[in-house]
Amino acid sequence: RLVTVNDGAFLCSHFLPLLRGALARGAAVEVACPEHAVLDTVRALGVRTHHIPLDRRGMDPRAEWRLLSALRQLYAARRPD
């Protein structure tokens, strides 16, 4: 499973129990989001993380294109469920 979120802190505050449950059931869980200090907590669980160049306040079309390109490459490489 590949979870894509726009904020690492939000991931930990809202989805950490879901990640733990998926891991407990034997699922391979990966997370794609911008780098954040709390991702160390996620990595410590054994979740693989992928950095995506997402700026939640961004309005630059070039930056948005870079994000879309990065997501496309990631999804093509990982082929998530």
Side-chain angles (χ1 to χ4, degrees):
R1 305 283 183 230
L2 177 62
V3 179
T4 304
V5 294
N6 66 353
D7 183 58
F10 181 82
L11 172 75
C12 286
S13 66
H14 289 79
F15 291 102
L16 205 53
L18 292 173
L19 295 177
R20 286 186 176 127
L23 290 167
R25 289 176 185 81
V29 180
E30 301 181 32
V31 170
C33 72
E35 188 58 43
H36 195 285
V38 298
L39 289 179
D40 290 339
T41 302
V42 174
R43 290 182 189 112
L45 295 173
V47 175
R48 182 176 178 178
T49 60
H50 304 276
H51 170 76
I52 54 174
L54 188 147
D55 180 3
R56 294 180 352 150
R57 293 164 284 160
M59 297 292 287
D60 180 3
R62 294 169 296 193
E64 298 299 319
W65 184 256
R66 285 190 293 274
L67 171 61
L68 288 173
S69 295
L71 287 172
R72 183 174 173 220
Q73 290 174 4
L74 177 61
Y75 295 160
R78 303 307 304 157
R79 300 186 51 91
D81 296 342

